[in-house]
Amino acid sequence: MIRTSFNDGWSYRRKPDAFQALLGRANEGWEPVRLPHDAMIRRKRSGTDPEAGHRGYFPADGYEYKKAFFVPEEYRERRVTFEFEGVYRHGRVYINGDLAGQCASGYSTFWIRADHLLRYGTDNEVRVEAQSQDDSRWYTGGGIYRGTSIIVSGLVHLTLDGVRITTPVIESDQAVVAVATEIQNESPVTRTVEVSNEIVDAGGAIVARDVTPVTVFPGDAAVLRQRLLVAEPRLWGVEHPDLYTCRTSVTADGERLDGRTTRFGIRSLTVDPRRGLRINGETVELRGACVHHDSGVLGAATIDRAEWRRVEILRQAGFNAIRSAHNPISRALLEACDELGMLVMDELSDVWTRSKSAQDYAGDFAGSWESDLRSMVIKDRNHPSVVLYSIGNEIPEVGTAAGAVLGRRLAEKVRELDGTRLVTNAVNGLLAAGPELFSAMAAGRTESAEGGTKDAGSASTPDGGGSGDVNDLMTRFREFMPTLMTSELVTNRTAESMAYLDVAGYNYLESRYELDRTLFPNRVIVGTETYPSDIDRNWRMVRDNSHVIGDFTWTGWDYLGEPGIGRVEYQSDPTPPAGGAPGHQGPFPWLTAWCGDIDITGHRRPASYYREIVFGLRTEPYIAVHRPERHGEPVRLATWWSWSDSVSSWSWNGHEQKPVRIDVYSAADEIELLVNGRSVGRAPAGEKNRFTASFDTVYKPGELTAVAYTDGIETGRTCLRSAAGDVRLDVKADRSRITADDRDLAFVSVTLVDADGNLYNTADRQVAIELAGPGMLQGFGSADPRSEENFFDTVRTTFDGRVLAVIRPSAAGVITVTVTADGCPPVDVHVEAAPAGQSEELPMTGTPSGRPDHSAAGSHPCR
């Protein structure tokens, strides 16, 4: 079997009206592209359609792609399959004008057998249609946004998912690796072949091998099961993600018919309410990040290097687990998690049979869920990083008997396909309890699971206005949501749907953690979605309750769509127009959710460093300065997903001698704040004070210092220094050498600084970028959550002094990136794109997980 990237040589356009072909316009409007490609990100945003708010005010549309390819005559005796890892949405594939296959889901890998439609010895054409609609609650992108491959095999070959590896026996001195290999015989005669499986360690040494003959009848398939013994195994874990490779070879009469390599890890996985989640017998608390599938300035285009970089940054920020929200994640992200030691909860869907958007996947779910679930599981099941499968997110049906039946079917299908991992479901009690809970809201009272009645407040109900969107409701009923979620209604409505799970997923149900330890003593819980503003409280509950195995914040990485759910609005901000934005979302030009620990460019926001301190992974204090121009102004809106409107900088030109508020995050007992060496005062910090010491002072340029004390002894200090003098461009590529293929990228960060490297966050200006050599600008933008600029122009405005360019190689050679800005000397950086197979695999620059990356924050330990 030969798998080859099929990403080059495509053209795309917005899908024309069917009658345009009759008018001679069939060949108009095509633009060359290299896959993966997001067609939606290049569309013009508009605030005229409130329904487009969920997807960041990008318009929905239809797209089509085409590619010519040559099929040799010898392929008559072979089998040709096209693999599409993700087409958003309703992908339909045509070969030489005829429909070859389709997939309704926008996130499932699907395969197209092409043999019956191919023309041999000549050129062929594949065409793909896709349609994005009002079908999601976030930015989806559009088109062929994940990679494609062409797979060519002989008539006797491994099936597409033909190698399955498990590790049923693990002991200190040995492990049994069970390899199930499936061989397909499409020839007209019976064939006896030899199947060899070799286990190779990280150093390239063969540590186990087995060869077995297999006879396969014509048109039949056979599964061979081999148990290989590996001595002194190196186990895969979060801190030591050791991997092995299984090399599978199918031969007959000395001829190699097929082969495959499969990476895997040797590790055990158990869970119970007393010892929690254990990997290789050791308890692991999940420090989790929910992530959407888009790649920020790249849109939804899923290019391997972007996925690896994301995992690397999340690891540096202290996370050890990712939840895919709310769809199966890419193969590249799984490979990165395997290599870097990041655990994964892969999630099937945001809907089952009840819609959340007008044209969403609910209309296709009943007919497609089995194939989509199978696609997810067979993609995941050889990856040691995957520990949990989530069968859904905030599914209203889980509160009904019919929903419980459907959920059980989903869970059992997962176990049938892969019985070695755990099954969960991210349950939202507000949706599960349904209209009865809303009635309780209207009455202002609700029954507690502990007995008695509790006041539910006097806030308006869904019938009293608002969009009825679940996030909007949760925001409006914030004060008494914890009480509502402990009601008997929620207890009873979710009991059956929780019972068929290995781990119960709780979305914003942390008020039930301790209650359910009593009500359901055998239940294991994971916080599948929680508010960033409750980081410290939630983590304490994880530490204090062994049946709660972890916490997944919303969100680890900021994303496009659901614009402004984490925004902070002040009294003087313009009042959003009535009907201008759905529910909890920000009005146009809001673009990003603005609720991630890490922004869409990969820069860590203050909440990320706070979380690192709460996790116990950072000892130095962290300084977050509230924007002085907003000092004392009342906050009109801060949602449950909001963080403070702060920046780690002491450069506030134009605000000299004006008041400013400063937060210092620290696990130490006490913080002393100094401005230019003079003490502003001391304030308690640590867990009892929610890890925050706050100060009010006036802005004086110079040096701001935070000193941490525990038991009266200094335990660390951090400084911020004001930028002064001329503004300069600090331009850095994440790697100087990349691979000249369709999987690699160079990330070039541009920061406004002074001569000493201090951040000039108040000197924002337009930055222009120019490329020379074999590269293209794949994306260019800032983290500004309200920007009206696009991600594909060569000029962008910095946000808080930063902007990011992403360069994609088009061939081997040296790419020169020239960056200019008004008042700044131009800067060149050079990135070498080496031919595939020659470049060194270099990690993204940064510090290891659990150690602070001060340069990313603009602050550093004082010298």
Side-chain angles (χ1 to χ4, degrees):
M1 180 180 295
I2 300 174
R3 177 189 292 269
T4 306
S5 171
F6 204 59
N7 288 337
D8 286 324
W10 289 83
S11 298
Y12 99 105
R13 66 177 178 181
R14 292 174 60 192
K15 192 176 186 304
D17 186 280
F19 292 102
Q20 286 186 305
L22 299 177
L23 299 175
R25 300 175 183 171
N27 294 317
E28 292 182 1
W30 293 98
E31 299 179 32
V33 294
R34 186 181 213 185
L35 304 182
H37 172 259
D38 179 6
M40 183 182 284
I41 200 68
R42 300 187 71 87
R43 300 297 309 282
K44 183 175 177 59
R45 299 169 63 226
S46 171
T48 59
D49 180 11
E51 296 302 320
H54 293 295
R55 55 183 179 270
Y57 300 98
F58 284 92
D61 212 337
Y63 313 99
E64 62 178 342
Y65 295 73
K66 68 176 182 179
K67 173 177 176 171
F69 63 101
F70 181 77
V71 178
E73 187 67 36
E74 56 265 30
Y75 279 14
R76 288 185 187 274
E77 301 303 320
R78 296 178 182 269
R79 291 293 176 261
V80 177
T81 302
F82 292 111
E83 179 184 80
F84 293 87
E85 195 182 343
V87 178
Y88 202 86
R89 191 169 80 90
H90 284 295
R92 293 192 295 272
V93 180
Y94 297 82
I95 297 176
N96 295 323
D98 293 316
L99 180 66
Q102 57 189 347
C103 180
S105 170
Y107 302 103
S108 290
T109 298
F110 64 100
W111 296 269
I112 302 295
R113 284 292 295 266
D115 308 282
H116 62 298
L117 297 175
L118 294 179
R119 301 167 184 164
Y120 300 98
T122 188
D123 282 338
N124 290 244
E125 182 183 78
V126 59
R127 185 168 59 86
V128 179
E129 295 181 356
Q131 178 72 46
S132 62
Q133 302 164 299
D134 181 19
D135 56 11
S136 179
R137 299 187 298 120
W138 56 85
Y139 178 86
T140 61
I144 312 177
Y145 72 99
R146 287 182 179 170
T148 62
S149 299
I150 182 171
I151 302 168
V152 181
S153 62
L155 297 182
V156 179
H157 58 87
L158 295 165
T159 59
L160 290 171
D161 57 336
V163 178
R164 167 79 169 104
I165 302 173
T166 57
T167 54
V169 180
I170 302 174
E171 299 174 345
S172 60
D173 60 342
Q174 64 181 26
V176 173
V177 177
V179 183
T181 309
E182 185 174 17
I183 300 96
Q184 179 80 39
N185 181 8
E186 298 189 64
S187 76
V189 298
T190 298
R191 297 295 302 270
T192 298
V193 299
E194 282 193 334
V195 177
S196 168
N197 273 303
E198 296 177 339
I199 307 300
V200 182
D201 67 14
I206 299 174
V207 297
R209 186 173 186 269
D210 189 72
V211 182
T212 303
V214 179
T215 299
V216 192
F217 290 154
D220 202 0
V223 176
L224 168 67
R225 300 187 184 275
Q226 296 162 290
R227 293 170 67 89
L228 291 79
L229 188 67
V230 175
E232 306 297 332
R234 297 181 63 87
L235 305 187
W236 188 95
V238 171
E239 299 302 328
H240 302 283
D242 291 295
L243 291 169
Y244 288 84
T245 300
C246 178
R247 295 197 301 226
T248 305
S249 181
V250 181
T251 60
D253 301 324
E255 178 188 2
R256 190 171 190 268
L257 303 179
D258 206 352
R260 182 175 302 173
T261 60
T262 306
R263 301 291 296 280
F264 72 98
I266 299 174
R267 61 121 178 90
S268 64
L269 178 69
T270 61
V271 71
D272 65 70
R274 181 181 175 189
R275 294 177 177 168
L277 178 72
R278 286 185 290 169
I279 296 176
N280 304 322
E282 296 183 3
T283 298
V284 177
E285 294 169 330
L286 298 177
R287 306 190 301 266
C290 296
V291 296
H292 268 221
H293 74 289
D294 74 77
S295 297
V297 302
L298 302 179
T302 306
I303 302 171
D304 288 17
R305 175 56 189 162
E307 301 286 70
W308 280 74
R309 175 178 179 262
R310 172 156 44 181
V311 177
E312 179 68 26
I313 293 173
L314 288 166
R315 282 285 283 153
Q316 291 171 7
F319 292 109
N320 67 5
I322 288 174
R323 173 189 173 217
S324 69
H326 304 289
N327 45 261
I329 56 179
S330 71
R331 186 181 293 125
L333 194 64
L334 291 177
E335 291 171 352
C337 291
D338 289 347
E339 291 275 359
L340 300 174
M342 181 74 77
L343 301 173
V344 173
M345 177 194 297
D346 207 2
E347 192 157 83
L348 177 65
S349 180
D350 188 48
V351 294
W352 289 353
T353 60
R354 296 187 183 181
S355 290
K356 296 177 181 177
S357 304
Q359 297 166 302
D360 63 18
Y361 184 56
D364 303 296
F365 187 83
S368 298
W369 71 260
E370 287 194 66
S371 61
D372 291 332
L373 190 148
R374 174 180 171 81
S375 174
M376 179 180 76
V377 173
I378 66 173
K379 168 178 63 71
D380 292 0
R381 60 189 184 184
N382 288 326
H383 291 278
S385 57
V386 179
V387 295
L388 285 152
Y389 293 116
S390 171
I391 57 176
N393 171 67
E394 297 184 340
I395 305 297
E397 295 97 306
V398 301
T400 70
V405 170
L406 177 56
R408 183 174 287 106
R409 289 174 181 166
L410 289 164
E412 289 307 309
K413 178 58 68 171
V414 172
R415 295 177 178 120
E416 176 187 321
L417 295 167
D418 181 6
T420 69
R421 290 173 172 84
L422 306 169
V423 180
T424 188
N425 190 4
V427 175
N428 183 301
L430 188 64
L431 285 175
E436 288 184 41
L437 189 63
F438 293 157
S439 297
M441 289 182 188
R445 300 173 68 82
T446 184
E447 293 293 329
S448 164
E450 298 169 309
T453 61
K454 295 189 178 182
D455 187 8
S458 57
S460 61
T461 67
D463 294 332
S467 69
D469 178 277
V470 64
N471 294 332
D472 183 33
L473 294 172
M474 290 165 66
T475 298
R476 292 193 290 137
F477 303 132
R478 176 174 183 171
E479 292 183 5
F480 52 88
M481 274 288 293
T483 299
L484 288 171
M485 292 305 98
T486 59
S487 72
E488 287 188 14
L489 277 171
V490 175
T491 303
N492 296 333
R493 284 295 186 88
T494 61
E496 184 176 0
S497 289
M498 295 291 192
Y500 59 69
L501 303 172
D502 302 310
V503 178
Y506 281 26
N507 276 22
Y508 310 106
L509 286 171
E510 56 271 15
S511 60
R512 296 195 64 97
Y513 287 174
E514 295 188 1
L515 170 65
D516 286 348
R517 180 174 56 186
T518 301
L519 294 179
F520 306 98
N522 295 308
R523 181 179 291 181
V524 179
I525 296 169
V526 61
T528 36
E529 200 166 307
T530 60
Y531 299 111
S533 55
D534 291 335
I535 297 169
D536 56 327
R537 294 165 177 162
N538 290 336
W539 193 243
R540 172 47 57 192
M541 284 191 282
V542 172
R543 302 302 299 268
D544 289 347
N545 294 278
S546 61
H547 70 295
V548 181
I549 64 173
D551 178 273
F552 286 81
T553 190
W554 193 265
T555 58
W557 196 285
D558 203 23
Y559 57 97
L560 305 178
E562 285 195 302
I565 69 166
R567 69 194 185 280
V568 175
E569 288 184 2
Y570 295 91
Q571 202 66 46
S572 64
D573 289 335
T575 302
H584 63 293
Q585 295 174 171
F588 183 83
W590 274 94
L591 169 63
T592 74
W594 202 234
C595 61
D597 279 25
I598 299 162
D599 69 32
I600 63 168
T601 69
H603 177 70
R604 293 177 62 184
R605 299 174 65 202
S608 173
Y609 292 90
Y610 179 91
R611 187 182 307 277
E612 192 178 17
I613 289 168
V614 170
F615 285 158
L617 302 175
R618 177 187 174 95
T619 56
E620 289 87 353
Y622 180 86
I623 304 173
V625 181
H626 293 246
R627 300 179 191 272
E629 65 267 27
R630 297 292 197 172
H631 187 270
E633 186 174 352
V635 172
R636 184 175 66 207
L637 172 69
T639 75
W640 285 32
W641 297 275
S642 301
W643 195 252
S644 67
D645 187 16
S646 56
V647 182
S648 185
S649 175
W650 195 236
S651 299
W652 300 99
N653 293 4
H655 297 279
E656 290 79 3
Q657 302 303 317
K658 293 182 179 179
V660 61
R661 185 171 181 82
I662 300 161
D663 291 336
V664 180
Y665 310 147
S666 177
D669 295 341
E670 188 179 38
I671 296 294
E672 182 178 19
L673 189 72
L674 300 94
V675 176
N676 297 327
R678 293 191 175 184
S679 179
V680 172
R682 293 194 178 205
E687 185 172 7
K688 292 180 180 179
N689 296 281
R690 303 201 67 187
F691 298 95
T692 304
S694 296
F695 302 86
D696 283 290
T697 184
V698 296
Y699 172 59
K700 297 178 181 179
E703 183 175 82
L704 180 69
T705 304
V707 184
Y709 297 93
T710 297
D711 295 329
I713 300 172
E714 181 178 330
T715 57
R717 62 174 59 201
T718 300
C719 295
L720 295 175
R721 296 184 178 90
S722 303
D726 295 336
V727 180
R728 302 189 179 192
L729 298 171
D730 180 26
V731 183
K732 295 178 180 177
D734 64 332
R735 295 172 301 156
S736 61
R737 186 177 174 90
I738 63 176
T739 304
D741 63 13
D742 57 351
R743 302 175 59 188
D744 214 348
L745 299 165
F747 287 81
V748 179
S749 61
V750 181
T751 309
L752 305 179
V753 298
D754 67 5
D756 295 324
N758 298 306
L759 176 66
Y760 249 128
N761 54 288
T762 55
D764 284 326
R765 63 197 61 199
Q766 288 192 328
V767 172
I769 193 164
E770 183 178 343
L771 302 185
M776 65 186 75
L777 185 62
Q778 187 70 27
F780 188 29
S782 74
D784 185 352
R786 291 169 291 191
S787 175
E788 294 188 58
E789 298 175 328
N790 60 53
F791 293 124
F792 51 85
D793 280 343
T794 58
V795 179
R796 281 297 303 249
T797 303
T798 58
F799 176 71
D800 285 338
R802 294 183 172 90
V803 72
L804 177 74
V806 185
I807 313 302
R808 192 174 192 183
S810 55
V814 176
I815 305 168
T816 299
V817 183
T818 300
V819 183
T820 58
D822 288 343
C824 303
V827 177
D828 289 343
V829 295
H830 305 282
V831 177
E832 181 182 355
Q838 295 185 20
S839 67
E840 182 182 359
E841 290 289 341
L842 297 176
M844 195 195 79
T845 55
T847 55
S849 173
R851 297 178 60 189
D853 180 1
H854 302 285
S855 62
S859 62
H860 44 77
C862 302
R863 294 185 291 271

